Amino acid sequence: MMANNYLANAPFKAVSVMVRYGDFENLEPSEFAIDRSKQCLNITVQVDGRELAALSVEAQAAKHRLILIEALCDVAANYDLPFEFLDAMRRHAI
């Protein structure tokens, strides 16, 4: 992210992605909130825990990677940040 200047023009210096495990999936980030004291953007996504548990360890890791890429793409869209490198990562993650 640093090499691609992802945070260079952002009103925060870090992104914290909370992954909730529940009984349904909602990968659209919610609760966009900037913690001004820590200069961190906090977002939340929810994953279907039962679906995730049914995957192999390798598939779980790939799913988590894709979840983070998608969440960071949504952040980029909301804050007009560079996303091209994330698009390339997404294509390789699928």
Coordinates of all heavy atoms in Angstrom, one line a residue:
M1 N 0.8 -1.2 0.0 CA 0.0 0.0 0.0 C 0.9 1.3 0.0 O 0.5 2.2 -0.7 CB -0.9 0.0 1.2 CG -2.0 -1.0 1.1 SD -3.1 -1.3 2.6 CE -3.5 0.4 3.0
M2 N 1.9 1.2 0.8 CA 2.8 2.4 0.8 C 3.5 2.6 -0.5 O 3.6 3.8 -0.9 CB 3.9 2.2 1.9 CG 3.2 2.0 3.3 SD 2.1 3.3 3.7 CE 3.1 4.3 4.7
A3 N 3.9 1.6 -1.2 CA 4.6 1.7 -2.4 C 3.7 2.3 -3.5 O 4.2 2.9 -4.5 CB 5.2 0.3 -2.9
N4 N 2.4 2.1 -3.3 CA 1.4 2.6 -4.3 C 0.7 3.9 -3.9 O -0.3 4.3 -4.4 CB 0.4 1.5 -4.6 CG 1.0 0.3 -5.3 OD1 1.2 0.4 -6.5 ND2 1.2 -0.7 -4.6
N5 N 1.3 4.5 -2.8 CA 0.8 5.8 -2.3 C -0.7 5.8 -2.0 O -1.4 6.7 -2.1 CB 1.0 6.9 -3.3 CG 2.5 7.2 -3.4 OD1 3.2 7.2 -2.4 ND2 3.0 7.5 -4.6
Y6 N -1.2 4.6 -1.5 CA -2.6 4.4 -1.2 C -3.1 5.4 -0.2 O -4.1 6.0 -0.3 CB -2.8 3.0 -0.7 CG -4.2 2.6 -0.4 CD1 -5.1 2.3 -1.4 CD2 -4.7 2.6 0.9 CE1 -6.4 2.0 -1.1 CE2 -6.0 2.3 1.2 CZ -6.9 2.0 0.2 OH -8.2 1.7 0.5
L7 N -2.3 5.7 0.8 CA -2.7 6.6 1.9 C -2.2 8.0 1.8 O -2.4 8.8 2.7 CB -2.2 6.0 3.3 CG -2.9 4.6 3.6 CD1 -2.2 4.1 4.9 CD2 -4.3 4.7 3.8
A8 N -1.4 8.3 0.7 CA -0.8 9.6 0.6 C -1.8 10.8 0.7 O -1.4 11.8 1.4 CB 0.0 9.7 -0.7
N9 N -2.9 10.7 0.1 CA -3.9 11.8 0.2 C -5.1 11.5 1.0 O -6.1 12.2 0.9 CB -4.3 12.1 -1.3 CG -3.2 12.7 -2.1 OD1 -2.4 13.5 -1.6 ND2 -3.1 12.2 -3.3
A10 N -5.0 10.5 1.8 CA -6.1 10.1 2.7 C -6.1 10.9 4.0 O -5.1 11.3 4.4 CB -6.0 8.6 3.1
P11 N -7.3 11.1 4.5 CA -7.4 11.9 5.8 C -7.1 11.0 7.0 O -7.6 11.3 8.1 CB -8.9 12.4 5.8 CG -9.6 11.3 5.0 CD -8.6 10.9 3.9
F12 N -6.4 9.9 6.8 CA -6.0 8.9 7.9 C -4.7 8.3 7.5 O -4.3 8.3 6.3 CB -7.1 7.9 8.1 CG -7.7 7.3 6.8 CD1 -7.1 6.3 6.1 CD2 -8.9 7.9 6.3 CE1 -7.6 5.8 4.9 CE2 -9.4 7.4 5.1 CZ -8.8 6.4 4.4
K13 N -4.1 7.7 8.4 CA -2.8 7.0 8.1 C -2.8 5.5 8.1 O -1.8 4.9 7.8 CB -1.7 7.5 9.1 CG -1.4 9.0 9.0 CD -0.3 9.4 9.8 CE 0.0 10.9 9.6 NZ 1.2 11.4 10.3
A14 N -3.9 4.9 8.5 CA -4.1 3.5 8.6 C -5.5 3.1 8.4 O -6.4 3.9 8.5 CB -3.6 3.0 9.9
V15 N -5.7 1.9 8.0 CA -7.1 1.3 7.8 C -7.2 0.1 8.7 O -6.3 -0.8 8.6 CB -7.4 1.0 6.3 CG1 -8.8 0.3 6.2 CG2 -7.3 2.2 5.4
S16 N -8.2 0.0 9.5 CA -8.4 -1.1 10.4 C -9.7 -1.8 9.9 O -10.8 -1.2 9.8 CB -8.6 -0.7 11.8 OG -9.0 -1.8 12.6
V17 N -9.6 -3.1 9.5 CA -10.7 -3.8 8.9 C -11.1 -4.9 10.0 O -10.3 -5.8 10.3 CB -10.4 -4.5 7.6 CG1 -11.6 -5.3 7.1 CG2 -9.9 -3.5 6.6
M18 N -12.3 -4.7 10.5 CA -12.8 -5.7 11.5 C -13.7 -6.7 10.7 O -14.6 -6.3 10.0 CB -13.7 -5.0 12.6 CG -14.3 -6.1 13.5 SD -15.3 -5.3 14.8 CE -14.0 -4.8 15.9
V19 N -13.3 -8.0 10.8 CA -14.1 -9.0 10.1 C -15.0 -9.7 11.2 O -14.4 -10.3 12.1 CB -13.2 -10.0 9.5 CG1 -14.0 -11.1 8.8 CG2 -12.2 -9.4 8.5
R20 N -16.3 -9.6 11.0 CA -17.2 -10.2 11.9 C -17.6 -11.5 11.3 O -17.8 -11.6 10.1 CB -18.4 -9.3 12.1 CG -18.2 -8.1 12.9 CD -19.5 -7.4 13.2 NE -19.2 -6.2 14.0 CZ -19.9 -5.1 14.0 NH1 -20.9 -5.0 13.2 NH2 -19.6 -4.1 14.7
Y21 N -17.8 -12.5 12.1 CA -18.2 -13.8 11.7 C -19.6 -14.1 12.2 O -19.9 -14.0 13.4 CB -17.3 -14.9 12.2 CG -15.9 -14.7 11.7 CD1 -15.0 -14.0 12.5 CD2 -15.5 -15.1 10.5 CE1 -13.7 -13.8 12.1 CE2 -14.2 -14.9 10.0 CZ -13.3 -14.2 10.8 OH -12.0 -13.9 10.4
G22 N -20.6 -14.2 11.3 CA -22.0 -14.4 11.6 C -22.7 -15.4 10.8 O -22.0 -16.3 10.3
D23 N -24.0 -15.3 10.6 CA -24.8 -16.3 9.9 C -25.1 -15.8 8.5 O -26.0 -16.4 7.9 CB -26.0 -16.7 10.7 CG -26.9 -15.5 11.1 OD1 -26.5 -14.4 10.8 OD2 -27.9 -15.8 11.7
F24 N -24.6 -14.7 8.1 CA -24.8 -14.2 6.7 C -23.5 -13.4 6.3 O -22.7 -13.1 7.2 CB -26.0 -13.4 6.5 CG -26.0 -12.1 7.3 CD1 -25.6 -10.9 6.6 CD2 -26.4 -12.0 8.6 CE1 -25.6 -9.7 7.3 CE2 -26.4 -10.8 9.3 CZ -26.0 -9.6 8.6
E25 N -23.4 -13.2 5.0 CA -22.3 -12.4 4.5 C -22.7 -11.1 4.0 O -23.7 -10.9 3.3 CB -21.6 -13.2 3.4 CG -20.3 -12.7 2.9 CD -19.5 -13.6 2.1 OE1 -18.8 -14.5 2.7 OE2 -19.6 -13.5 0.8
N26 N -21.9 -10.1 4.4 CA -22.1 -8.7 3.9 C -20.7 -8.1 3.8 O -20.1 -7.7 4.8 CB -23.0 -7.9 4.8 CG -23.2 -6.4 4.3 OD1 -22.7 -6.1 3.2 ND2 -23.8 -5.6 5.0
L27 N -20.1 -8.1 2.6 CA -18.8 -7.7 2.4 C -18.7 -6.2 2.1 O -17.6 -5.7 1.9 CB -18.1 -8.5 1.3 CG -18.0 -10.0 1.6 CD1 -17.3 -10.8 0.4 CD2 -17.3 -10.3 2.9
E28 N -19.8 -5.5 2.0 CA -19.7 -4.1 1.8 C -19.4 -3.4 3.1 O -20.1 -3.6 4.1 CB -21.1 -3.6 1.3 CG -21.0 -2.1 0.9 CD -22.3 -1.6 0.2 OE1 -22.8 -2.4 -0.5 OE2 -22.6 -0.5 0.5
P29 N -18.3 -2.8 3.2 CA -17.8 -2.2 4.5 C -18.9 -1.2 5.1 O -19.5 -0.5 4.4 CB -16.6 -1.4 4.1 CG -16.1 -2.0 2.9 CD -17.3 -2.5 2.2
S30 N -19.0 -1.3 6.4 CA -19.9 -0.4 7.1 C -19.2 0.2 8.2 O -18.0 -0.1 8.5 CB -21.1 -1.2 7.6 OG -20.7 -2.2 8.5
E31 N -19.8 1.1 8.9 CA -19.3 1.8 10.0 C -18.0 2.5 9.7 O -17.0 2.5 10.4 CB -19.1 0.8 11.2 CG -20.4 0.2 11.6 CD -20.2 -0.8 12.7 OE1 -19.2 -0.6 13.5 OE2 -21.0 -1.7 12.8
F32 N -17.9 3.2 8.5 CA -16.8 4.0 8.2 C -16.6 5.1 9.3 O -17.5 6.0 9.4 CB -17.0 4.7 6.8 CG -16.7 3.9 5.6 CD1 -17.7 3.0 5.2 CD2 -15.5 3.9 5.0 CE1 -17.4 2.2 4.1 CE2 -15.3 3.2 3.9 CZ -16.2 2.3 3.4
A33 N -15.6 5.0 10.1 CA -15.4 6.0 11.1 C -13.9 6.2 11.3 O -13.1 5.3 11.4 CB -15.9 5.5 12.4
I34 N -13.5 7.5 11.2 CA -12.1 7.8 11.4 C -11.8 8.1 12.9 O -12.5 9.0 13.5 CB -11.7 9.1 10.6 CG1 -11.9 8.7 9.1 CG2 -10.3 9.5 10.9 CD1 -11.6 9.9 8.2
D35 N -10.9 7.4 13.5 CA -10.5 7.6 14.8 C -9.4 8.7 14.7 O -8.3 8.4 14.3 CB -9.9 6.3 15.4 CG -9.5 6.5 16.9 OD1 -9.1 7.6 17.3 OD2 -9.4 5.5 17.6
R36 N -9.8 9.9 15.0 CA -8.8 11.0 14.9 C -7.6 10.9 15.7 O -6.5 11.3 15.3 CB -9.6 12.4 15.1 CG -10.8 12.6 14.2 CD -10.4 13.5 13.1 NE -11.6 13.7 12.3 CZ -11.6 13.5 11.0 NH1 -10.5 13.2 10.4 NH2 -12.7 13.7 10.3
S37 N -7.8 10.4 16.9 CA -6.6 10.3 17.9 C -5.6 9.3 17.3 O -4.4 9.5 17.5 CB -7.1 9.9 19.3 OG -7.6 8.6 19.3
K38 N -6.0 8.3 16.6 CA -5.1 7.3 16.1 C -4.8 7.5 14.6 O -4.1 6.7 14.0 CB -5.6 5.9 16.4 CG -5.6 5.6 17.8 CD -6.1 4.2 18.1 CE -6.2 3.9 19.6 NZ -7.0 2.8 19.9
Q39 N -5.6 8.4 14.0 CA -5.5 8.7 12.5 C -5.8 7.4 11.7 O -5.0 7.1 10.8 CB -4.2 9.3 12.1 CG -4.0 10.7 12.8 CD -2.7 11.3 12.4 OE1 -1.7 10.7 12.2 NE2 -2.8 12.6 12.2
C40 N -6.8 6.7 12.1 CA -7.1 5.4 11.6 C -8.6 5.3 11.1 O -9.4 5.7 11.9 CB -6.8 4.3 12.6 SG -7.1 2.6 12.0
L41 N -8.8 4.8 9.9 CA -10.2 4.6 9.5 C -10.6 3.2 9.9 O -9.9 2.2 9.6 CB -10.2 4.7 7.9 CG -11.6 4.3 7.3 CD1 -12.6 5.3 7.7 CD2 -11.5 4.2 5.8
N42 N -11.7 3.0 10.6 CA -12.2 1.8 11.1 C -13.4 1.4 10.2 O -14.3 2.1 10.0 CB -12.6 1.8 12.5 CG -11.5 2.2 13.4 OD1 -10.4 1.6 13.3 ND2 -11.7 3.2 14.3
I43 N -13.3 0.2 9.6 CA -14.5 -0.4 8.8 C -14.7 -1.8 9.3 O -13.9 -2.4 9.9 CB -14.2 -0.3 7.3 CG1 -13.0 -1.2 6.9 CG2 -14.0 1.1 6.8 CD1 -12.8 -1.4 5.4
T44 N -16.0 -2.2 9.0 CA -16.4 -3.6 9.4 C -17.0 -4.3 8.2 O -17.8 -3.7 7.4 CB -17.5 -3.4 10.5 OG1 -16.9 -2.7 11.6 CG2 -17.9 -4.8 11.0
V45 N -16.7 -5.6 8.0 CA -17.4 -6.4 7.1 C -17.8 -7.7 7.8 O -17.3 -8.0 8.9 CB -16.5 -6.8 5.9 CG1 -16.1 -5.6 5.0 CG2 -15.2 -7.6 6.3
Q46 N -18.8 -8.4 7.3 CA -19.3 -9.6 7.9 C -19.2 -10.8 7.0 O -19.5 -10.7 5.8 CB -20.7 -9.5 8.4 CG -21.2 -10.7 9.1 CD -22.4 -10.5 10.0 OE1 -22.5 -9.5 10.6 NE2 -23.3 -11.5 9.9
V47 N -18.7 -11.9 7.5 CA -18.5 -13.1 6.7 C -19.4 -14.2 7.3 O -19.6 -14.3 8.5 CB -17.0 -13.6 6.8 CG1 -16.8 -14.9 6.1 CG2 -16.1 -12.5 6.2
D48 N -19.9 -15.1 6.5 CA -20.7 -16.2 6.9 C -19.8 -17.2 7.5 O -19.0 -17.9 6.8 CB -21.5 -16.8 5.8 CG -22.5 -17.9 6.2 OD1 -22.2 -18.6 7.2 OD2 -23.5 -18.1 5.5
G49 N -19.8 -17.3 8.9 CA -18.9 -18.2 9.6 C -19.0 -19.7 9.2 O -18.1 -20.4 9.1
R50 N -20.3 -20.1 9.0 CA -20.5 -21.6 8.6 C -19.9 -21.8 7.2 O -19.3 -22.9 7.0 CB -22.0 -21.9 8.6 CG -22.6 -21.9 10.0 CD -24.0 -22.1 9.9 NE -24.6 -20.9 9.2 CZ -25.8 -20.4 9.4 NH1 -26.6 -21.0 10.2 NH2 -26.2 -19.4 8.8
E51 N -20.1 -20.9 6.3 CA -19.5 -21.1 4.9 C -18.0 -21.1 5.0 O -17.4 -21.9 4.3 CB -20.0 -20.0 4.0 CG -19.5 -20.0 2.6 CD -20.0 -18.9 1.8 OE1 -21.2 -18.6 1.7 OE2 -19.2 -18.2 1.1
L52 N -17.5 -20.2 5.8 CA -16.0 -20.1 5.9 C -15.4 -21.4 6.5 O -14.4 -21.9 6.1 CB -15.6 -18.9 6.7 CG -14.2 -18.5 6.8 CD1 -13.7 -18.1 5.4 CD2 -13.9 -17.4 7.7
A53 N -16.1 -21.9 7.6 CA -15.6 -23.1 8.3 C -15.6 -24.3 7.3 O -14.8 -25.3 7.6 CB -16.5 -23.4 9.5
A54 N -16.4 -24.3 6.3 CA -16.5 -25.5 5.4 C -15.4 -25.5 4.4 O -15.1 -26.5 3.7 CB -17.8 -25.5 4.6
L55 N -14.6 -24.4 4.3 CA -13.5 -24.3 3.4 C -12.2 -24.9 3.9 O -12.0 -24.9 5.2 CB -13.2 -22.8 3.0 CG -14.4 -22.0 2.4 CD1 -14.0 -20.6 2.2 CD2 -14.8 -22.7 1.0
S56 N -11.3 -25.3 3.1 CA -10.0 -25.7 3.5 C -9.2 -24.5 4.0 O -9.6 -23.3 3.8 CB -9.2 -26.3 2.3 OG -8.9 -25.3 1.4
V57 N -8.1 -24.8 4.7 CA -7.3 -23.7 5.3 C -6.8 -22.8 4.2 O -6.8 -21.6 4.3 CB -6.2 -24.3 6.1 CG1 -5.2 -23.2 6.6 CG2 -6.7 -25.0 7.3
E58 N -6.4 -23.3 3.1 CA -5.9 -22.6 2.0 C -7.0 -21.7 1.4 O -6.8 -20.5 1.1 CB -5.3 -23.5 0.9 CG -4.1 -24.2 1.3 CD -4.4 -25.5 2.1 OE1 -5.6 -25.9 2.1 OE2 -3.5 -26.0 2.7
A59 N -8.2 -22.3 1.2 CA -9.3 -21.5 0.7 C -9.8 -20.4 1.7 O -10.2 -19.3 1.2 CB -10.5 -22.4 0.4
Q60 N -9.7 -20.7 3.0 CA -10.0 -19.6 4.0 C -9.0 -18.5 3.9 O -9.4 -17.3 3.9 CB -9.9 -20.2 5.4 CG -11.1 -21.1 5.7 CD -11.0 -21.7 7.2 OE1 -10.2 -21.1 8.0 NE2 -11.7 -22.7 7.4
A61 N -7.8 -18.8 3.7 CA -6.7 -17.7 3.6 C -7.0 -16.9 2.3 O -6.9 -15.7 2.3 CB -5.3 -18.3 3.5
A62 N -7.3 -17.6 1.2 CA -7.6 -16.9 -0.1 C -8.9 -16.0 0.1 O -8.9 -14.9 -0.4 CB -7.8 -17.9 -1.2
K63 N -9.9 -16.5 0.8 CA -11.1 -15.7 1.0 C -10.8 -14.5 1.8 O -11.3 -13.4 1.5 CB -12.1 -16.6 1.7 CG -13.4 -15.9 2.1 CD -14.5 -16.1 1.1 CE -15.8 -15.5 1.7 NZ -16.8 -15.5 0.7
H64 N -10.0 -14.6 2.9 CA -9.7 -13.5 3.7 C -8.9 -12.4 2.9 O -9.2 -11.2 3.0 CB -8.9 -13.9 5.0 CG -9.8 -14.4 6.1 ND1 -10.0 -15.7 6.3 CD2 -10.4 -13.7 7.0 CE1 -10.8 -15.8 7.3 NE2 -11.1 -14.6 7.8
R65 N -8.0 -12.9 2.1 CA -7.2 -12.0 1.3 C -8.2 -11.2 0.3 O -8.0 -10.0 0.2 CB -6.2 -12.7 0.5 CG -5.3 -11.9 -0.4 CD -4.3 -12.8 -1.1 NE -3.6 -12.0 -2.2 CZ -2.5 -11.2 -2.0 NH1 -2.0 -11.1 -0.7 NH2 -1.9 -10.6 -3.0
L66 N -9.1 -11.9 -0.3 CA -10.0 -11.2 -1.2 C -10.9 -10.3 -0.5 O -11.2 -9.2 -1.0 CB -10.8 -12.3 -2.0 CG -11.7 -11.7 -3.1 CD1 -10.9 -11.0 -4.2 CD2 -12.4 -12.9 -3.8
I67 N -11.4 -10.6 0.7 CA -12.2 -9.7 1.5 C -11.5 -8.4 1.8 O -12.0 -7.4 1.7 CB -12.6 -10.4 2.9 CG1 -13.6 -11.5 2.6 CG2 -13.1 -9.4 3.9 CD1 -13.8 -12.5 3.8
L68 N -10.2 -8.5 2.2 CA -9.4 -7.3 2.5 C -9.2 -6.5 1.2 O -9.3 -5.3 1.3 CB -8.1 -7.7 3.1 CG -8.2 -8.3 4.5 CD1 -6.8 -8.8 5.0 CD2 -8.7 -7.3 5.5
I69 N -8.9 -7.1 0.1 CA -8.7 -6.4 -1.1 C -10.0 -5.6 -1.5 O -10.0 -4.4 -1.8 CB -8.3 -7.3 -2.3 CG1 -6.9 -7.8 -2.1 CG2 -8.4 -6.6 -3.6 CD1 -6.5 -9.0 -3.0
E70 N -11.2 -6.3 -1.4 CA -12.5 -5.7 -1.7 C -12.8 -4.5 -0.8 O -13.2 -3.5 -1.2 CB -13.6 -6.7 -1.7 CG -13.5 -7.8 -2.7 CD -13.7 -7.3 -4.2 OE1 -14.3 -6.2 -4.3 OE2 -13.3 -8.0 -5.1
A71 N -12.5 -4.7 0.5 CA -12.7 -3.7 1.5 C -11.9 -2.4 1.2 O -12.3 -1.3 1.2 CB -12.5 -4.2 2.9
L72 N -10.6 -2.7 0.8 CA -9.7 -1.6 0.5 C -10.1 -0.9 -0.8 O -10.0 0.4 -0.9 CB -8.3 -2.0 0.5 CG -7.7 -2.4 1.8 CD1 -6.3 -3.1 1.7 CD2 -7.6 -1.3 2.8
C73 N -10.7 -1.6 -1.7 CA -11.2 -1.0 -2.9 C -12.4 -0.1 -2.6 O -12.5 1.0 -3.2 CB -11.7 -2.1 -3.9 SG -10.3 -2.9 -4.8
D74 N -13.3 -0.5 -1.7 CA -14.4 0.3 -1.3 C -13.9 1.6 -0.6 O -14.4 2.7 -0.8 CB -15.3 -0.4 -0.4 CG -16.2 -1.4 -1.1 OD1 -16.3 -1.3 -2.4 OD2 -16.8 -2.3 -0.5
V75 N -12.9 1.5 0.3 CA -12.3 2.6 0.9 C -11.7 3.6 -0.1 O -12.0 4.8 -0.1 CB -11.2 2.2 1.9 CG1 -10.4 3.4 2.4 CG2 -11.8 1.5 3.1
A76 N -11.0 3.0 -1.1 CA -10.5 3.8 -2.2 C -11.6 4.6 -2.9 O -11.4 5.8 -3.2 CB -9.7 3.0 -3.2
A77 N -12.7 3.9 -3.2 CA -13.8 4.6 -3.9 C -14.4 5.7 -3.1 O -14.7 6.8 -3.6 CB -14.9 3.6 -4.3
N78 N -14.5 5.5 -1.8 CA -15.1 6.5 -0.9 C -14.2 7.7 -0.6 O -14.7 8.8 -0.3 CB -15.5 5.9 0.4 CG -16.8 5.2 0.3 OD1 -17.8 5.7 0.0 ND2 -16.8 3.9 0.6
Y79 N -12.9 7.5 -0.7 CA -12.0 8.6 -0.4 C -11.1 9.0 -1.5 O -10.1 9.7 -1.4 CB -11.1 8.2 0.8 CG -11.9 8.1 2.1 CD1 -12.4 7.0 2.6 CD2 -12.1 9.3 2.9 CE1 -13.2 6.9 3.7 CE2 -12.8 9.3 4.0 CZ -13.4 8.1 4.5 OH -14.1 8.1 5.6
D80 N -11.4 8.6 -2.7 CA -10.7 8.9 -4.0 C -9.2 8.6 -3.8 O -8.4 9.4 -4.1 CB -10.9 10.4 -4.3 CG -10.6 10.7 -5.7 OD1 -10.7 9.8 -6.6 OD2 -10.2 11.9 -6.0
L81 N -9.0 7.4 -3.5 CA -7.6 6.9 -3.3 C -7.2 6.0 -4.5 O -8.1 5.4 -5.2 CB -7.5 6.1 -2.0 CG -7.9 6.8 -0.7 CD1 -7.8 5.9 0.4 CD2 -7.1 8.1 -0.5
P82 N -6.0 5.8 -4.8 CA -5.6 4.9 -5.9 C -6.0 3.4 -5.6 O -5.9 3.0 -4.5 CB -4.0 5.0 -5.9 CG -3.6 5.6 -4.6 CD -4.8 6.3 -4.1
F83 N -6.5 2.8 -6.7 CA -7.0 1.4 -6.5 C -6.5 0.5 -7.6 O -6.8 -0.7 -7.5 CB -8.6 1.4 -6.5 CG -9.1 1.8 -7.9 CD1 -9.4 0.9 -8.8 CD2 -9.3 3.2 -8.2 CE1 -9.9 1.3 -10.1 CE2 -9.8 3.6 -9.4 CZ -10.1 2.6 -10.4
E84 N -5.8 1.0 -8.6 CA -5.4 0.1 -9.7 C -4.6 -1.1 -9.2 O -4.7 -2.2 -9.7 CB -4.6 1.0 -10.7 CG -5.4 2.0 -11.4 CD -5.6 3.3 -10.6 OE1 -5.0 3.5 -9.5 OE2 -6.4 4.1 -11.1
F85 N -3.7 -0.9 -8.3 CA -2.9 -2.0 -7.8 C -3.7 -3.0 -7.1 O -3.5 -4.2 -7.1 CB -1.7 -1.5 -6.9 CG -2.2 -1.0 -5.5 CD1 -2.0 -1.9 -4.4 CD2 -2.7 0.2 -5.3 CE1 -2.4 -1.4 -3.2 CE2 -3.1 0.7 -4.1 CZ -3.0 -0.2 -3.0
L86 N -4.8 -2.6 -6.4 CA -5.8 -3.5 -5.8 C -6.5 -4.3 -6.8 O -6.8 -5.5 -6.6 CB -6.7 -2.7 -4.9 CG -6.1 -2.1 -3.7 CD1 -7.1 -1.1 -3.0 CD2 -5.7 -3.1 -2.7
D87 N -6.9 -3.6 -7.9 CA -7.5 -4.4 -9.0 C -6.7 -5.5 -9.5 O -7.1 -6.6 -9.8 CB -7.9 -3.4 -10.2 CG -9.3 -3.0 -10.2 OD1 -10.1 -3.6 -9.5 OD2 -9.6 -2.1 -11.0
A88 N -5.4 -5.2 -9.7 CA -4.4 -6.2 -10.2 C -4.3 -7.4 -9.1 O -4.3 -8.5 -9.5 CB -3.0 -5.6 -10.4
M89 N -4.3 -7.0 -7.9 CA -4.3 -8.1 -6.8 C -5.6 -8.9 -6.8 O -5.5 -10.1 -6.6 CB -4.1 -7.4 -5.4 CG -2.7 -6.8 -5.2 SD -2.6 -5.9 -3.7 CE -2.6 -7.2 -2.5
R90 N -6.7 -8.2 -7.0 CA -8.0 -8.9 -7.1 C -8.0 -9.9 -8.2 O -8.5 -11.1 -8.0 CB -9.1 -7.9 -7.2 CG -10.5 -8.5 -7.3 CD -11.6 -7.5 -7.4 NE -11.2 -6.1 -7.5 CZ -12.0 -5.1 -7.4 NH1 -13.3 -5.3 -7.2 NH2 -11.6 -3.9 -7.5
R91 N -7.5 -9.5 -9.4 CA -7.5 -10.5 -10.5 C -6.6 -11.7 -10.2 O -7.0 -12.8 -10.7 CB -7.0 -9.7 -11.8 CG -8.0 -8.8 -12.4 CD -7.6 -8.3 -13.8 NE -6.4 -7.6 -13.8 CZ -6.3 -6.3 -13.5 NH1 -7.3 -5.6 -13.2 NH2 -5.1 -5.7 -13.6
H92 N -5.6 -11.5 -9.5 CA -4.7 -12.7 -9.2 C -5.2 -13.5 -8.0 O -4.8 -14.6 -7.8 CB -3.3 -12.2 -8.9 CG -2.6 -11.7 -10.1 ND1 -2.5 -10.3 -10.4 CD2 -1.9 -12.3 -11.1 CE1 -1.9 -10.2 -11.5 NE2 -1.5 -11.4 -12.0
A93 N -6.1 -12.9 -7.2 CA -6.6 -13.6 -6.0 C -7.8 -14.5 -6.4 O -8.1 -15.4 -5.7 CB -7.1 -12.6 -5.0
I94 N -8.4 -14.3 -7.6 CA -9.6 -15.0 -7.9 C -9.2 -16.3 -8.6 O -8.3 -16.4 -9.4 CB -10.6 -14.2 -8.8 CG1 -11.1 -13.0 -8.0 CG2 -11.7 -15.0 -9.3 CD1 -11.9 -12.0 -8.8

